[in-house]
Amino acid sequence: MGEQWGFYFDPNSCMGCNACAIACKNRHGTEAGHVDWRRVETVSTGEFPDYQETNVSLSCMHCEDPPCVDVCPTNAIEKRESDGIVTIDRDECIGCRYCGWACPYGAPQYGEEGLMQKCNLCLDKGPGAGADAESKNTQEDPLEPACVDECVGEALHAGPIGELMDLASEAAARKFEQNPTSVIVEPQTGEEGQAAANVETPIPYQG
Amino acid sequence: MLAAESGVIWVPRVHWGLFIATYLFLGGVSGGSYVTSVSAQLIRGRASSDVEWQSRDETSRWGSLLSVVAIGVGTGALLYHLGAPLRALTFAWNFTNYGSWLVIGTWLIVIFSTLATLDLVWNFFGSEKQGRTSGSFFVRRILGWIAIGGEPVVLNLLDRFSDITKPPQKLHTAIRVFGAFLGMGVIVYTSMLLSDLWTCPLWNRTYLPPLFLMSGISTGLAATVAMPAIFDGLTETVHQYSLADDALIVVELGILLAFYNFLQGRTGCMASQATVDSLNSVFSMPFWVGVVGLGLLTPLAMSLVMTGASALFDLDERSHTWHQIFRAGYVLKYSLVLVGGFFLRYVIIFAAVKLPLTVA
Ligand code: SF4
Ligand code: SF4
């Protein structure tokens, strides 16, 4: 098994400018409007005087044990052994949208043609691209994800999890250990310096 | 795309629409029709008169026909919804994830519809069915119109096919009983497909399967028994099935209310609360009026009034006027059960809320 790749996100550095989402759209030429591989949400937490706003940039989490893979009838979705990136082979997809319901993050997107597309950690450009791409670990000059490239606040990084961990604070690393996705999220530091924000995976309420 | 609220991010959920609701509904009707069909055949021998025997015989044939029609139209609705329907037609090769309920369900449906279609041929065609004219045999009349040089070719072909393939009566019955279990499997599958996902509290593994099973058998029964009521008029059999349907409706109502209560009681789960809220706001019409009012309570009340009235006032249903009134009453009742069954699937799909992401 090759080293697993993922994202690192620090909401403290994110200004909610949407540059990542737009860069992603540009690189992959995704449909305007309802197809968003990456999107930025502003979430308000707490009440005055502890009120604060948190910007969260979300895409496919490249989950460790992806529920989308479990439900896909044709095995069109794959969690790659070689680099941990979750890809979609659009030649296999029947467009049933079952994965859309299974994914807790709303990552799978469906364009006009009704087939699934989502973030491929920029293995390649365009919807469906990258399914059979060489492992990020062995590519000579792996493409830097557009969102990371264009991030104004340096809030987003991508790479092998081991390298990303060097960027992470202790709290973020601890969170990551409990989080079944491949995204390391930095806790937000509130005004008073207390750790306040993190994106939590919803907990299955029925086992 | 996402609606943000204090501390949470709501995840959008607009993946399935009317066609999937229709598919789930018709899957239930199909399985239920087949179960009704087999049950009518099994109780046929104990009919009190020729009229009743005939009525059960007809009910059994109607159920056989409707199960095939419903699953056919339902599968069409599913395919229509897909992004690449042609790829789904080659499911035998490319549906390789046997852990997915979509794959399990596809195979269930394929085996069930193959069996139900064969059974339909045996029930409607063959030399001993020639010249039969009762309501359900309209199928033969229609196919008889397709003629080349005055010969009803399709009809002849089907008759011949039935004569050659039809198993002896006992084996045929055994196959049908097996088919009834498959039919129930199809109904339950429609609930497993949803409840296999943990993202929506409304797609609950405990409540949804029994709810869909009751509703599926109830709607299939309603569709099936409405047919002899429309074509041949009222018989004891129509009454008896109506009472059986009432029992199913009571159980279904109980499960539904228990489920609602369960969701309402999950105060710590924002998605459950949001689901209950939507059932009481955006979806209050389809849910409270469509499912509960029109689909469950009204049919029960109608049954109560009709059964009560004919017992209390000793109405002679053989008198033409009363016969027509009751006949219309039962047909309306069964239609409402179907309307309610559809609204149930509609609500279960559209009112489902995904667990939000929390930013705490
Ligand atoms: S975030 Fe969603 S689409 Fe991405 S791997 Fe996880 S379940 Fe699949
Ligand atoms: S929409 Fe495509 S990728 Fe998603 S579950 Fe269906 S077949 Fe698989």
Side-chain angles (χ1 to χ4, degrees):
Chain A
M1 197 166 95
E3 191 163 11
Q4 305 289 287
W5 281 55
F7 285 113
Y8 165 89
F9 174 69
D10 181 4
N12 302 296
S13 307
C14 174
M15 350 192 214
C17 67
N18 264 298
C20 51
I22 294 163
C24 176
K25 254 187 154 21
N26 285 343
R27 172 164 296 171
H28 297 290
T30 55
E31 274 163 45
H34 60 290
V35 173
D36 294 303
W37 291 14
R38 180 170 283 287
R39 59 208 179 229
V40 181
E41 291 298 322
T42 303
V43 188
S44 57
T45 49
E47 275 173 25
F48 180 82
D50 294 327
Y51 177 87
Q52 57 180 357
E53 285 188 339
T54 306
N55 299 312
V56 187
S57 176
L58 284 166
S59 74
C60 171
M61 302 288 202
H62 301 281
C63 302
E64 213 160 282
D65 183 11
C68 59
V69 170
D70 293 344
V71 301
C72 175
T74 60
N75 283 317
I77 314 173
E78 188 196 352
K79 169 87 180 163
R80 288 155 51 109
E81 282 263 318
S82 61
D83 53 16
I85 299 175
V86 177
T87 56
I88 159 82
D89 178 355
R90 303 221 311 168
D91 291 336
E92 292 289 326
C93 174
I94 62 165
C96 64
R97 307 190 177 209
Y98 204 14
C99 51
W101 285 104
C103 171
Y105 304 97
Q109 305 283 301
Y110 308 92
E112 285 293 332
E113 78 304 313
L115 302 178
M116 197 270 257
Q117 50 176 295
K118 64 166 195 66
C119 163
N120 58 13
L121 229 143
C122 283
L123 266 170
D124 207 340
K125 294 177 197 175
D132 44 15
E134 195 188 329
S135 164
K136 279 258 189 199
N137 287 311
T138 53
Q139 281 180 29
E140 216 154 84
D141 187 16
L143 195 59
E144 171 94 294
C147 51
V148 174
D149 225 13
E150 296 290 326
C151 177
V152 179
E154 302 234 346
L156 266 173
H157 296 270
I161 298 287
E163 282 175 28
L164 296 177
M165 279 300 215
D166 295 342
L167 300 170
S169 69
E170 204 181 307
R174 220 178 16 250
K175 267 275 180 244
F176 175 74
E177 299 295 331
Q178 306 159 355
N179 208 11
T181 72
S182 295
V183 178
I184 302 166
V185 184
E186 207 56 61
Q188 190 183 13
T189 324
E191 288 294 300
E192 287 84 39
Q194 83 274 34
N198 202 350
V199 183
E200 300 277 354
T201 314
I203 298 158
Y205 79 103
Q206 48 184 25
Chain B
M1 285 301 284
L2 299 189
E5 212 174 85
S6 181
V8 299
I9 300 172
W10 290 102
V11 185
R13 37 170 217 289
V14 285
H15 311 301
W16 288 346
L18 269 184
F19 283 96
I20 292 296
T22 307
Y23 163 67
L24 300 178
F25 167 66
L26 289 177
V29 171
S30 176
S33 300
Y34 202 85
V35 170
T36 309
S37 167
V38 174
S39 75
Q41 186 202 338
L42 293 178
I43 61 170
R44 193 176 55 182
R46 277 182 279 132
S48 56
S49 65
D50 281 354
V51 176
E52 292 310 321
W53 193 94
Q54 173 68 21
S55 178
R56 290 173 184 188
D57 192 47
E58 274 291 278
T59 304
S60 173
R61 240 184 334 270
W62 277 115
S64 160
L65 177 63
L66 286 176
S67 66
V68 175
V69 172
I71 204 73
V73 178
T75 308
L78 171 73
L79 288 175
Y80 184 83
H81 148 91
L82 295 179
L86 289 179
R87 287 182 195 161
L89 292 179
T90 52
F91 63 91
W93 291 272
N94 56 7
F95 278 26
T96 48
N97 181 3
Y98 295 99
S100 166
W101 273 97
L102 211 86
V103 177
I104 301 170
T106 301
W107 280 107
L108 248 177
I109 287 179
V110 167
I111 297 170
F112 171 72
S113 19
T114 308
L115 190 144
T117 308
L118 257 182
D119 184 41
L120 179 136
V121 174
W122 297 333
N123 295 331
F124 283 87
F125 305 96
S127 34
E128 94 265 28
K129 305 286 196 239
Q130 280 162 5
R132 298 280 292 269
T133 53
S134 54
S136 64
F137 281 108
F138 84 98
V139 175
R140 291 188 63 92
R141 270 199 303 282
I142 289 180
L143 289 173
W145 294 337
I146 309 171
I148 297 174
E151 278 283 305
V153 276
V154 178
L155 203 55
N156 288 348
L157 209 72
L158 286 167
D159 279 345
R160 189 115 46 84
F161 180 79
S162 175
D163 283 338
I164 296 168
T165 56
K166 190 170 178 178
Q169 188 58 46
K170 276 217 168 101
L171 178 60
H172 184 191
T173 308
I175 293 174
R176 301 195 79 219
V177 171
F178 175 65
F181 282 103
L182 281 180
M184 284 194 258
V186 168
I187 305 175
V188 172
Y189 142 70
T190 60
S191 66
M192 299 306 266
L193 180 74
L194 306 183
S195 61
D196 193 37
L197 310 175
W198 52 263
T199 47
C200 299
L202 191 56
W203 296 356
N204 180 288
R205 185 40 72 82
T206 310
Y207 290 95
L208 216 54
L211 183 65
F212 273 28
L213 182 62
M214 287 304 127
S215 169
I217 298 180
S218 168
T219 50
L221 183 156
T224 301
V225 184
M227 292 300 160
I230 292 170
F231 281 85
D232 310 322
L234 288 184
T235 58
E236 255 321 293
T237 302
V238 174
H239 285 281
Q240 284 159 353
Y241 268 103
S242 171
L243 291 178
D245 202 13
D246 292 344
L248 292 169
I249 292 172
V250 169
V251 176
E252 187 184 336
L253 193 62
I255 298 170
L256 189 65
L257 294 180
F259 187 16
Y260 179 83
N261 199 42
F262 165 81
L263 286 173
Q264 202 175 31
R266 290 180 50 83
T267 45
C269 172
M270 294 176 86
S272 298
Q273 294 313 305
T275 306
V276 172
D277 281 351
S278 77
L279 290 177
N280 289 317
S281 56
V282 191
F283 296 104
S284 63
M285 282 299 269
F287 181 61
W288 291 110
V289 179
V291 180
V292 180
L294 290 178
L296 298 170
L297 293 177
T298 312
L300 267 187
M302 288 184 72
S303 191
L304 208 70
V305 169
M306 289 191 288
T307 313
S310 57
L312 274 180
F313 305 116
D314 197 21
L315 298 176
D316 184 3
E317 283 181 18
R318 278 160 304 180
S319 94
H320 185 70
T321 317
W322 280 116
H323 185 107
Q324 291 307 71
I325 290 174
F326 276 95
R327 185 176 178 181
Y330 278 109
V331 172
L332 180 63
K333 174 196 162 171
Y334 287 135
S335 309
L336 287 175
V337 169
L338 286 167
V339 168
F342 178 77
F343 273 122
L344 178 67
R345 306 316 189 283
Y346 174 90
V347 167
I348 294 287
I349 292 289
F350 282 87
V353 176
K354 262 192 178 180
L355 298 174
L357 307 176
T358 49
V359 176

